[in-house]
Amino acid sequence: MSKYWSPIVSTLKPYVPGEQPRIANLVKLNTNESPYGPSDKVLSAVTAAANGDLRLYPDPLALRLRETIAARHGLTASEVFVGNGSDEVLAHIFAGLLKHDAPLLYPDISYSFYSTYARLFAINAVEVPLDAQFRIDLSDYERPCGAIILPNPNAPTGIGLPLAEIERLVAAHPDQPVVIDEAYIDFGGQSAIALVPKYENLLVVQTFSKSRALAGLRVGFAIGQRPLIEALERVKDSFNSYPLGRPAQAGATAAIEDEAWFEATREKIIASRGRLTDQLTERGFEVLPSEANFVFARHPGHSGETLMQALRERAVLVRHFAKPRIGDFLRITIGTDAECARLVEALDEIL
Ligand code: PMP
């Protein structure tokens, strides 16, 4: 704390990212990165861009990337907004779209950046508890509010909502922006992007960090009708001039174009998730039904903290969540089959 800080800075509780340690032979299942790739085509595109003219500013509109994303969904570039990871896209959304007199609603437990941004942008927010099965119950969102944001599937539970339920929510709040954060949608969920032409209050956010294996490149995007995208452009243009560097624009474009790599990789991760869920269940874990590239699990005989530490001693990193409303869970990213096997071997020593 310093006397030079504004009062808002003193109240901030910044988001704490997962560890990125450099330990040899580490099995890193703590930050929901992809265990594969990225695709060779992405690597070539990034390399070519890096060897190209970095002296020059990138395209301030990131037009080729936005067109490529839009085309995949039968939309136009004007309906796509891009940023440095979906975290930055979310920051623009919070700054520009979610501040109203009535409260912003989001689930508890959910992606913890929502509460961080609500504080940073002085947004009046109400956290809506999950139901007893750790699901988002959308009937709890049938109340007056200024805006809604929720992840589908939710993080860190991994539990998804059917598209029909999302559509009912969006239709029930025609005067409020409804933001669906689809960071993990490609691992089994149904995207709400298909609803965008029908609902002008809907904004869908996705990332290249998970199913496209590009967490290190920092690219995310939002899709919505013009009025919402225009709001984000205004915020962004008041903040920076170039949304993405040249390698990021080139790599992300190539990633969208490599559909074969994308399909094969996400199918592998979904299959590994099924096997890991069975192995954890056989060992006494309760595993929530996941539509993401991670599972959320707890063991009746061992605290999450103890398990996380014991795994860490065996060079396996997982994330631990403990909250009065949800209890004590581990969030385990789906790794390669060899990495999942290392996790299970370590658990067999511990349990
Ligand atoms: N939304 C959710 C629900 C997430 O879990 C994450 C990853 N931490 C993000 C958004 C942000 O991802 P990125 O900034 O890498 O796109």
Side-chain angles (χ1 to χ4, degrees), residues 15 85-87 90 111 114 151 155 181 183-184 207 209-210 218-220:
Y15 176 80
S86 48
D87 281 342
L90 288 168
Y111 185 36
Y114 301 160
D181 177 353
Y184 303 101
T207 178
S209 299
K210 314 295 176 181
R218 310 304 302 129
V219 187

Side-chain angles (χ1 to χ4, degrees), residues 227-287:
L228 293 188
I229 298 299
E230 248 172 55
L232 296 180
E233 287 168 354
R234 268 190 195 222
V235 173
K236 187 232 120 204
D237 291 342
S238 311
F239 182 73
N240 66 16
S241 319
Y242 300 97
L244 297 173
R246 286 172 171 266
Q249 292 193 27
T253 304
I256 294 284
E257 287 168 349
D258 197 346
E259 194 68 26
W261 180 95
F262 170 72
E263 283 299 335
T265 312
R266 69 175 181 155
E267 276 164 25
K268 266 199 286 196
I269 292 171
I270 291 169
S272 304
R273 180 180 70 206
R275 285 190 290 274
L276 182 64
T277 301
D278 292 345
Q279 287 170 314
L280 292 172
T281 309
E282 281 159 20
R283 283 158 181 81
F285 280 92
E286 177 194 358
V287 185

Side-chain angles (χ1 to χ4, degrees), residues 14-22 26-33 87 111-113 184 210 215 218 308 312 317-321 331 333:
Y15 176 80
V16 183
E19 287 180 88
Q20 300 286 350
R22 299 209 180 88
L26 182 74
V27 176
K28 189 172 175 305
L29 307 177
N30 66 333
T31 48
N32 298 341
E33 291 133 330
D87 281 342
Y111 185 36
S112 47
F113 238 125
Y184 303 101
K210 314 295 176 181
R218 310 304 302 129
M308 183 197 66
R312 200 169 205 292
L317 286 194
V318 298
R319 194 110 189 224
H320 171 231
F321 286 80
R331 192 198 65 192
T333 305

Side-chain angles (χ1 to χ4, degrees), residues 34 40 78 86 89-90 119 145-146 150 156 175 187 192 203 225 228 237 242 246 287 290 300 304 329 343 350:
S34 173
D40 288 343
S78 65
S86 48
V89 174
L90 288 168
R119 247 171 219 271
C145 63
L150 43 96
D175 298 325
F187 302 105
L203 198 63
Q225 290 189 18
L228 293 188
D237 291 342
Y242 300 97
R246 286 172 171 266
V287 185
S290 171
F329 278 85
L343 165 81
I350 298 163

Side-chain angles (χ1 to χ4, degrees), residues 78-124:
S78 65
E79 293 154 302
V80 180
F81 176 83
V82 294
N84 285 281
S86 48
D87 281 342
E88 188 185 73
V89 174
L90 288 168
H92 291 324
I93 291 172
F94 273 73
L97 284 172
L98 302 187
K99 188 164 183 169
H100 297 270
D101 291 337
L104 164 70
L105 307 181
Y106 56 80
D108 178 29
I109 182 173
S110 189
Y111 185 36
S112 47
F113 238 125
Y114 301 160
S115 56
T116 300
Y117 283 149
R119 247 171 219 271
L120 176 62
F121 297 113
I123 291 171
N124 163 22

